[in-house]
Amino acid sequence: MLPCKSPAIFLSLAVLLTSLTACANNPTAKNLEQSLAADPQLQNNPVVFGEAKDSQQQAQQNASKVKLPTDFPQDIPLYPNAKLEAVTPPSATENRTSTRWLSSDPSNFIANFYREQLQANNWQISQQPADDLGGVFEAQRNNVQVKVSIQAQSVTNPTPNQPQTATELLIEYLPAATATAQPTATNNPSDTSTTTSNDIPQPGNPEFIGPVLSANVATQPANTSNSQQVATVTREAQEFSDLNKVPQELRQHIQDLAKLGVLSPESSVNKSNSNTTSNLFAPSKTITRREYARWLVAANNAMYANNPAKQIRLVSESAQPAFSDVSAKDSDFPVIQGLAEAGLIPSSLSGDTTAVLFRPDAPLTREQLLLWKLPLDTRQALPSANLEVVRQTWGFQDAGKIDPKALRAVVADYQNGEQSNIRRVFGYTTLFQPKKPVTRAEAAAALWYFGIQGEGISAVDALKLKRPQN
């Protein structure tokens, strides 16, 4: 039946088209033409199937973008591969601002990032995860408190934009303005405290290296603090009678530092006269950890006498000791505690729970010399390192004997080229001997220069700045 009807249908269509063509000016034909014409709104606004839905989703995404609060402290580290999802402002019962983030990276990556960043930027860490699988960091720097919660999450319905697993970050902070208004009640780092910031460089400055003083230190009168007494000691040129015994390669370095007044004589008392101290430098004698800490602070602060932001701040004797074997009554407590609070030496303040003893009278080793000095050269987080990197750079045959904590300092020192401490102090060597005690001459040579190539300062430069003032 269908084959028979097809010719009739075609014939009818042909007649209709012929009629329309012949009667183009007929009103009936025009009405029919208009009824069959395209919608003028569609002509002006053509629609591509699927595009309207995408445009609507894009508009919703743009409308729902979350912005970081204007009072968010700039010195709080932000994980680079994390997206801000929500912001919860302070409430009547909770004065902390909360920001929620989502990242596709594993939680151990993020935990390791915050552990390194908080330590490198001199935050006082009061709590941190026992491992890198996630947990809570609580830290304080100056008068800003932060709490970072890292939690791995499982995604039940993964999409191309969201992988099977994700990590949620919750960054809660108490801004500086709020923290300053809180009363000083305890020494707990997690408590809000009042600090004086008139004489302390503010965090956020990449050159900031001073320790974060606790509340009981900041509130002490300046004229009675032990740290003030140490800090105001006048440094005058020193003369040693045995510098002819210093190795020729190191002699000029020690002479410059002696003129700067940052070295101390050999500590023994002249036996022939108990009231006269020795003026011997004793270059070949092993230096103790205590004495190197004293030299390190004195040399750094003398080099940057005109740049307070790079000076190491000494600590009052009322501070809670970071080491059980260096009490507040110790003559070098302001220096050693200052280094610990600045995060320049391993301690419980920097998250190293094993560093409970400082061992002030123990010999300083080569790896310790670098570990304490390099942060003052680079002024930033030390690079990642492993044994293979050390072997490829320095070529040390005994790289496996270097403490893992010191590996990063050894690699960073290599990147300093001709201003490397190892090259200046020990010359060319394929054996680092990391556990070998350091002599007083070697320690002094390491402190002759601070900084990186082209952007550092030597004892000679510091002397030029000191002479016009005198």
Side-chain angles (χ1 to χ4, degrees):
M1 297 297 290
L2 290 177
C4 296
K5 291 184 178 181
S6 296
I9 295 174
F10 292 150
L11 180 59
S12 300
L13 290 174
V15 173
L16 177 61
L17 293 175
T18 304
S19 300
L20 292 175
T21 305
C23 304
N25 296 325
N26 188 287
T28 303
K30 289 185 177 181
N31 292 335
L32 180 61
E33 181 181 0
Q34 291 177 358
S35 65
L36 297 175
D39 188 346
Q41 293 183 356
L42 294 177
Q43 291 178 344
N44 296 332
N45 301 285
V47 175
V48 179
F49 291 106
E51 184 175 341
K53 183 178 180 181
D54 293 341
S55 300
Q56 184 179 4
Q57 291 178 350
Q58 183 65 34
Q60 292 176 352
Q61 291 177 0
N62 293 336
S64 62
K65 280 186 177 179
V66 183
K67 295 183 179 180
L68 205 60
T70 56
D71 65 345
F72 191 89
Q74 296 182 355
D75 49 337
I76 295 180
L78 296 179
Y79 190 70
N81 192 28
K83 179 183 177 182
L84 181 60
E85 296 288 329
V87 174
T88 304
S91 63
T93 58
E94 180 60 51
N95 57 358
R96 291 177 179 268
T97 301
S98 176
T99 61
R100 186 171 66 86
W101 307 70
L102 193 65
S103 175
S104 59
D105 290 347
S107 59
N108 61 327
F109 282 25
I110 301 175
N112 187 58
F113 168 83
Y114 276 96
R115 179 174 285 106
E116 292 182 353
Q117 289 296 315
L118 293 174
Q119 292 179 4
N121 291 285
N122 304 316
W123 287 82
Q124 284 185 302
I125 303 175
S126 58
Q127 179 181 347
Q128 62 178 326
D131 50 38
D132 289 337
L133 298 181
V136 177
F137 287 91
E138 289 190 5
Q140 180 175 340
R141 177 176 174 178
N142 204 18
N143 50 3
V144 176
Q145 299 177 13
V146 64
K147 178 180 179 181
V148 181
S149 304
I150 303 171
Q151 181 65 47
Q153 290 189 333
S154 297
V155 180
T156 55
N157 296 315
T159 65
N161 296 327
Q162 187 173 355
Q164 181 67 35
T165 60
T167 302
E168 183 185 64
L169 285 172
L170 192 64
I171 301 179
E172 303 172 88
Y173 66 91
L174 195 65
T178 307
T180 305
Q182 303 298 318
T184 302
T186 67
N187 295 333
N188 190 339
S190 63
D191 293 337
T192 308
S193 60
T194 303
T195 58
T196 58
S197 58
N198 294 333
D199 299 327
I200 301 177
Q202 298 300 310
N205 186 336
E207 295 181 345
F208 177 83
I209 196 63
V212 181
L213 298 183
S214 58
N216 58 353
V217 177
T219 56
Q220 291 298 316
N223 58 353
T224 60
S225 122
N226 188 29
S227 64
Q228 292 294 326
Q229 295 175 4
V230 176
T232 56
V233 172
T234 303
R235 297 190 181 96
E236 298 180 355
Q238 300 160 322
E239 294 184 3
F240 299 111
S241 60
D242 58 346
L243 292 186
N244 60 325
K245 298 180 180 180
V246 175
Q248 187 63 39
E249 299 81 7
L250 308 180
R251 186 174 302 172
Q252 188 59 52
H253 296 152
I254 298 174
Q255 289 176 345
D256 294 337
L257 287 172
K259 294 176 183 177
L260 201 58
V262 300
L263 304 178
S264 55
E266 199 272 329
S267 58
S268 63
V269 178
N270 192 321
K271 295 181 180 179
S272 61
N273 187 349
S274 59
N275 296 325
T276 304
T277 58
S278 171
N279 67 338
L280 299 177
F281 180 68
S284 59
K285 183 179 179 180
T286 298
I287 189 171
T288 64
R289 290 162 58 93
R290 173 198 301 276
E291 195 161 25
Y292 180 69
R294 192 188 310 147
W295 288 8
L296 180 64
V297 173
N300 176 85
N301 291 357
M303 299 284 189
Y304 296 105
N306 298 327
N307 191 347
K310 288 190 174 183
Q311 293 182 0
I312 302 171
R313 304 304 169 94
L314 305 184
V315 177
S316 166
E317 62 182 9
S318 60
Q320 181 66 31
F323 304 102
S324 60
D325 57 348
V326 181
S327 69
K329 300 300 182 182
D330 192 296
S331 59
D332 291 313
F333 174 78
V335 169
I336 297 172
Q337 184 74 14
L339 289 171
E341 295 200 10
L344 296 171
I345 58 177
S347 72
S348 58
L349 298 178
S350 62
D352 190 341
T353 56
T354 64
V356 295
L357 297 176
F358 180 72
R359 298 181 294 117
D361 299 316
L364 180 79
T365 64
R366 290 185 172 189
E367 62 184 6
Q368 292 165 355
L369 179 146
L370 285 185
L371 184 61
W372 299 3
K373 171 72 169 13
L374 259 295
L376 291 171
D377 286 330
T378 63
R379 305 282 166 166
Q380 60 184 3
L382 299 179
S384 300
N386 53 48
L387 289 178
E388 189 59 30
V389 174
V390 174
R391 291 191 179 103
Q392 291 178 359
T393 53
W394 285 107
F396 290 144
Q397 302 176 40
D398 54 353
K401 298 180 181 179
I402 303 175
D403 188 284
K405 297 175 185 177
L407 285 175
R408 297 168 63 191
V410 173
V411 171
D413 195 52
Y414 179 85
Q415 297 174 352
N416 211 3
E418 293 304 315
Q419 293 299 345
S420 157
N421 293 275
I422 293 178
R423 293 186 177 98
R424 180 169 63 254
V425 178
F426 308 117
Y428 175 76
T429 177
T430 62
L431 290 174
F432 180 51
Q433 304 181 74
K435 313 300 181 186
K436 184 178 180 179
V438 177
T439 67
R440 289 165 57 87
E442 292 170 339
L447 302 176
W448 181 82
Y449 184 90
F450 283 79
I452 59 177
Q453 285 194 99
E455 299 182 12
I457 184 171
S458 68
V460 175
D461 300 325
L463 286 171
K464 293 178 180 178
L465 296 174
K466 180 180 178 182
R467 284 167 185 162
Q469 297 176 357
N470 293 338

